[in-house]
């Protein structure tokens, strides 16, 4: 871990990453790619030391309320968050200034902040986005070794459901020859159905590989799936998009399940929902009398 002072905390589309790098150890992580120009080891987490102060100054200046997105590059609930609590401090500011939030995570550490998520959702909109890739718990511990398993993430989705907090699932990535099975898909979809998720973001059954994350991915394949790296290299070479041979049948099943259970699966519609700020009627009425 190391600290760095930064000049801004929100991107032009109001995305926020309070950390850079990750300790979850997911073998396929795109954020390891060299194109992101990280100047430190991925596991040497960069903590943006002035993130909370910058966020408050930025929210205070904003003329129009909006959704604040977090977790696109680095999960805000990595292990350091337990001690530093920077995400919680940011949520306190988001709630205080009346903004909405869309959080992307794989960690059940988010439950620590359930009280704040509920407060935000009472005024405007809080959306919890949870990544689910692998129904098999043993396999999940190999692919995503240092974070809670899919079953535990599903419990988070159910808790959010019970507290009327909308959820979105990222069904991504699906690894050819490893978890691109009908059993895996149906298991994950069962979790989504039970949790009554708003929508599922899916770009197809596969993953992306480029310089940086490809080398790490292949290293982990050698460790856990002997011979698999050679299988990937022979079939895909240096392709960026790695599509499963089962993509068509799996996506057909995916769309059929979403349609049956009224789960939104149009990525553009879901992204619009994540960026659309809403102010609850009760909050509007309260503001008129304060």
């Amino acid at each position: 871990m190391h600290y760095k002072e930064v000049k801004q905390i929100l991107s032009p589309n109001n995305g926020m990453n309070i950390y850079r790098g990750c300790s979850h150890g997911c073998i396929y992580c795109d954020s390891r790619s060299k194109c992101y120009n990280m100047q430190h080891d991925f596991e040497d987490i960069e903590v943006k030391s002035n993130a909370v102060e910058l966020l408050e100054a930025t929210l205070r200046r904003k003329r129009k309320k909006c959704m604040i997105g977090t977790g696109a590059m680095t999960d805000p609930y990595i292990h350091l968050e337990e001690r530093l609590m920077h995400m919680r401090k940011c949520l306190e500011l988001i709630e205080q200034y009346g903004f909405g939030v869309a959080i992307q995570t794989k960690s059940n550490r988010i439950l620590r902040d359930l009280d704040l998520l509920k407060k935000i959702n009472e005024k405007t909109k809080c959306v919890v986005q949870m990544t689910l890739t692998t129904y098999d718990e043993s396999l999940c511990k190999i692919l995503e070794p240092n974070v809670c398993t899919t079953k535990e993430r599903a419990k988070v989705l159910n808790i959010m459901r019970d507290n009327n907090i909308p959820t979105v699932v990222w069904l991504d990535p699906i690894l050819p020859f490893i978890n691109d099975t009908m059993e895996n898909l149906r298991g994950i979809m069962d979790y989504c159905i039970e949790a009554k998720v708003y929508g599922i973001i899916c770009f197809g059954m596969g993953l992306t590989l480029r310089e940086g994350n490809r080398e790490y991915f292949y290293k982990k394949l050698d460790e856990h799936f002997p011979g698999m790296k050679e299988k990937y290299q022979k079939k895909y070479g240096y392709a960026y998009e790695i599509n499963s041979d089962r993509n068509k049948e799996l996506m057909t099943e995916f769309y059929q399940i979403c349609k049956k259970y009224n789960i939104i699966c149009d990525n553009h519609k879901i992204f619009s929902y994540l960026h659309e700020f809403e102010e609850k009627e009760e909050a509007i009425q309260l503001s008129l009398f304060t």
Side-chain angles (χ1 to χ4, degrees), residues 176-195:
F177 315 119
I178 296 175
N179 63 349
D180 59 339
T181 66
M182 195 64 73
E183 180 184 13
N184 184 57
L185 174 62
R186 287 173 177 163
I188 292 173
M189 296 303 289
D190 284 344
Y191 280 142
C192 296
I193 293 164
E194 181 184 3

Side-chain angles (χ1 to χ4, degrees), residues 249 251-261 265:
E249 62 177 301
M251 288 305 294
T252 297
E253 180 75 1
F254 169 70
Y255 288 129
Q256 288 176 348
I257 295 174
C258 287
K259 183 178 181 180
K260 181 177 179 180
Y261 291 96
C265 56

Side-chain angles (χ1 to χ4, degrees), residues 35-266:
C35 63
Y36 298 119
N37 298 314
M38 193 172 294
Q39 302 300 313
H40 55 87
D41 290 340
F42 194 70
E43 286 77 14
D44 177 20
I45 311 299
E46 182 177 284
V47 179
K48 297 178 182 180
S49 57
N50 57 335
V52 178
E53 294 80 7
L54 273 178
L55 180 63
E56 180 166 24
T58 303
L59 296 184
R60 194 188 300 121
R61 288 196 307 268
K62 277 189 174 291
R63 297 180 180 180
K64 189 176 180 181
K65 300 287 173 56
C66 64
M67 295 290 289
I68 306 297
T70 184
M73 285 296 296
T74 297
D75 194 316
Y77 288 101
I78 56 176
H79 300 78
L80 279 175
E81 175 60 20
E82 290 183 6
R83 176 162 54 90
L84 299 180
M85 299 182 71
H86 283 190
M87 183 60 184
R88 182 168 180 87
K89 293 171 186 175
C90 288
L91 287 173
E92 288 173 342
L93 291 172
I94 289 169
E95 190 275 329
Q96 177 185 338
Y97 287 93
F99 285 74
V101 68
I103 304 168
Q104 187 175 345
T105 185
K106 290 177 183 170
S107 176
N108 56 5
R109 292 187 185 93
I110 193 173
L111 293 176
R112 179 201 65 188
D113 297 333
L114 182 60
D115 59 328
L116 286 170
L117 306 183
K118 289 165 66 176
K119 287 181 180 179
I120 293 170
N121 200 53
E122 286 170 3
K123 294 187 198 177
T124 171
K125 186 168 67 182
C126 170
V127 186
V128 172
Q129 304 165 74
M130 190 66 67
T131 300
L132 305 181
T133 67
T134 311
Y135 182 70
D136 182 285
E137 292 288 280
S138 297
L139 181 59
C140 182
K141 290 175 183 178
I142 294 173
L143 303 184
E144 301 157 346
N146 304 324
V147 68
C148 68
T149 64
T150 301
K151 187 174 182 179
E152 293 170 307
R153 293 176 221 171
K155 291 178 182 177
V156 173
L157 293 173
N158 290 340
I159 290 170
M160 297 301 161
R161 174 204 63 201
D162 294 342
N163 285 277
N164 299 312
I165 295 173
T167 54
V168 165
V169 162
W170 287 70
L171 182 58
D172 174 62
I174 300 298
L175 311 182
F177 315 119
I178 296 175
N179 63 349
D180 59 339
T181 66
M182 195 64 73
E183 180 184 13
N184 184 57
L185 174 62
R186 287 173 177 163
I188 292 173
M189 296 303 289
D190 284 344
Y191 280 142
C192 296
I193 293 164
E194 181 184 3
K196 298 181 179 179
V197 302
Y198 168 83
I200 303 174
I201 294 172
C202 181
F203 296 101
M205 301 296 161
L207 76 157
T208 58
L209 291 177
R210 47 189 164 189
E211 187 179 7
N213 80 313
R214 179 186 292 109
E215 290 77 7
Y216 186 82
F217 179 64
Y218 281 169
K219 175 185 174 183
K220 292 301 176 180
L221 288 186
D222 277 341
E223 287 181 21
H224 301 290
F225 308 95
M228 186 66 73
K229 178 182 74 175
E230 288 75 21
K231 198 171 184 178
Y232 267 73
Q233 289 175 327
K234 182 177 180 180
K235 182 171 180 61
Y236 301 110
Y238 286 90
Y240 169 62
E241 293 187 2
I242 309 298
N243 296 314
S244 167
D245 289 341
R246 299 173 177 171
N247 180 69
K248 186 175 180 179
E249 62 177 301
L250 291 174
M251 288 305 294
T252 297
E253 180 75 1
F254 169 70
Y255 288 129
Q256 288 176 348
I257 295 174
C258 287
K259 183 178 181 180
K260 181 177 179 180
Y261 291 96
N262 297 313
I263 299 172
I264 305 299
C265 56
D266 181 327

Side-chain angles (χ1 to χ4, degrees), residues 2-11 15-20 40 46-55 57-58 61 86 90:
H2 65 279
Y3 289 91
K4 182 178 180 180
E5 191 167 296
V6 295
K7 294 182 179 180
Q8 63 182 35
I9 193 61
L10 292 186
S11 69
M16 175 178 73
N17 285 288
I18 53 179
Y19 303 113
R20 198 164 190 217
H40 55 87
E46 182 177 284
V47 179
K48 297 178 182 180
S49 57
N50 57 335
V52 178
E53 294 80 7
L54 273 178
L55 180 63
T58 303
R61 288 196 307 268
H86 283 190
C90 288

